[in-house]
Amino acid sequence: MKKLIISCIILMCATMVKAQVRIELPYSRSIEIKNGKWESWPSNWDSEKQLYGSIPSLAVQHLSGGSYEVKLYDGGDMYTDKVIYDSVETEKIRKQFTNNHLTAYKYADSKNYLWTDNITLKQIAKSPSLWVSTAKAQIYLWEHELGNAILYTAKTIASAPKNYKTSFKATKKYIKGTWAAWSAWQTMPSNTYFQLNMLRENSEYNFKYYEGGSLVKNYNITYDSARTKSVREETKNATAYKINGSSNEYIYLLNTAMSTIMNNPDKWSQEKDAVILIADINKSGIQTKIK
């Protein structure tokens, strides 16, 4: 009798450890590698139900330590893989994207990666309801061998983008290896404004700039603490946001803050010396200031 009880306890413990949970992946964004580089993530989420008539799901089973079995159910197909927590890659991407909520898991049999944001596979395996209840919980599937990636979330941000009027613009050109002086401020036509939409709480935004109602610039940007610290050595009231997917391209806020702009659209135009500097210099060789 005692042996039977012990055997039952062992069996129950083993069953608990190997329990599999399943979460739905109702919203997605996707990108591909083009010309050797990853595209920028689109600002809008796609509804899997509306696009494909069904909602994919992910089953997660904790195996041992940092190892997990994941099964992706998509359109009647099922893909089973083993992923392993990668501490080196996790540290690398957290520094690269200035986001300490990212966690990387390497596929055991390929070069592909699964990332989680604002949640971990351990948390999902233990309490799958956290996938829905945790703000901005996201899962990235990086398929390097196929050159594509997909980002999933359980719910999207409901806030609509806001418009911020601008009246003046100045530019600075890169000529023969040297930056020229800033041009004089130019009065812009009516219906010139920039637009902001928060993608990730207080860190990632979609930035669009319109001149006379026509879209001129469209970037996803992420707060860069290291760059901000560097530029503040020369410009005290500056904040840097890296243009996603770019090399050394930034948007800077001067004498204002993102929280001020987002929370009070009218105050932006009233702030003394508030300027946005757009340094998308690789293609155009031009820096732009707007106010």
Side-chain angles (χ1 to χ4, degrees):
M1 182 67 178
K2 188 179 292 185
K3 286 185 177 180
L4 179 60
I5 293 174
I6 294 174
S7 297
C8 289
I9 293 173
I10 293 174
L11 179 60
M12 288 175 63
C13 292
T15 302
M16 289 176 67
V17 170
K18 295 182 179 180
Q20 184 184 90
V21 302
R22 192 161 167 174
I23 58 174
E24 290 192 333
L25 310 171
Y27 299 99
S28 67
R29 296 172 178 162
S30 58
I31 57 173
E32 297 178 349
I33 293 178
K34 289 190 176 180
N35 299 320
K37 294 182 179 180
W38 287 104
E39 298 176 304
S40 296
W41 289 103
S43 58
N44 297 324
W45 292 95
D46 291 325
S47 167
E48 291 284 325
K49 182 72 173 179
Q50 290 181 358
L51 282 180
Y52 307 110
S54 62
I55 298 175
S57 62
L58 186 73
V60 180
Q61 182 179 3
H62 184 205
L63 301 177
S64 63
S67 300
Y68 299 83
E69 181 182 79
V70 293
K71 294 180 180 179
L72 178 65
Y73 297 84
D74 190 2
D77 297 321
M78 182 188 74
Y79 308 91
T80 302
D81 293 282
K82 178 182 177 182
V83 298
I84 304 168
Y85 169 66
D86 190 328
S87 60
V88 175
E89 186 70 10
T90 295
E91 182 179 359
K92 175 184 173 182
I93 62 175
R94 286 180 176 182
K95 289 183 178 179
Q96 181 180 354
F97 296 100
T98 320
N99 181 2
N100 289 328
H101 302 294
L102 290 171
T103 306
Y105 304 84
K106 189 180 186 306
Y107 283 71
D109 300 321
S110 72
K111 297 180 180 179
N112 297 334
Y113 271 90
L114 181 152
W115 294 1
T116 58
D117 191 4
N118 296 307
I119 200 168
T120 64
L121 289 185
K122 182 177 181 179
Q123 291 173 316
I124 293 174
K126 185 177 181 180
S127 181
S129 62
L130 288 174
W131 168 243
V132 176
S133 62
T134 302
K136 314 300 186 299
Q138 298 176 341
I139 293 175
Y140 296 77
L141 301 181
W142 295 95
E143 297 183 347
H144 293 276
E145 296 170 343
L146 298 177
N148 59 51
I150 189 164
L151 170 61
Y152 290 108
T153 192
K155 52 188 178 181
T156 59
I157 298 173
S159 61
K162 298 178 181 179
N163 298 339
Y164 306 86
K165 180 175 174 55
T166 62
S167 301
F168 304 96
K169 180 180 80 170
T171 57
K172 180 164 64 172
K173 297 182 179 181
Y174 192 69
I175 303 173
K176 296 181 180 180
T178 304
W179 284 104
W182 284 103
S183 69
W185 286 105
Q186 172 188 355
T187 301
M188 301 304 294
S190 60
N191 203 23
T192 295
Y193 59 94
F194 66 91
Q195 188 180 81
L196 282 172
N197 186 19
M198 185 184 293
L199 305 180
R200 184 184 292 122
E201 193 73 26
N202 299 326
S203 64
E204 186 178 6
Y205 304 83
N206 176 249
F207 173 91
K208 292 185 174 75
Y209 173 57
Y210 295 81
E211 291 185 354
S214 298
L215 179 63
V216 177
K217 300 179 186 294
N218 181 8
Y219 300 118
N220 286 352
I221 59 175
T222 302
Y223 172 67
D224 191 324
S225 60
R227 184 69 174 184
T228 296
K229 182 179 179 180
S230 174
V231 297
R232 282 183 177 176
E233 293 178 0
E234 296 184 4
T235 307
K236 183 178 179 181
N237 296 321
T239 308
Y241 291 82
K242 191 175 190 302
I243 296 176
N244 294 359
S246 71
S247 175
N248 201 34
E249 292 187 308
Y250 297 89
I251 290 179
Y252 300 96
L253 306 187
L254 309 177
N255 302 308
T256 189
M258 189 66 79
S259 59
T260 302
I261 296 175
M262 293 291 293
N263 295 332
N264 194 335
D266 295 329
K267 189 175 180 181
W268 143 255
S269 59
Q270 300 168 8
E271 288 186 289
K272 183 179 180 181
D273 300 325
V275 169
I276 292 179
L277 195 162
I278 307 168
D280 52 346
I281 57 179
N282 292 343
K283 293 182 179 179
S284 64
I286 298 175
Q287 297 184 53
T288 303
K289 290 194 300 185
I290 57 175
K291 67 176 184 177

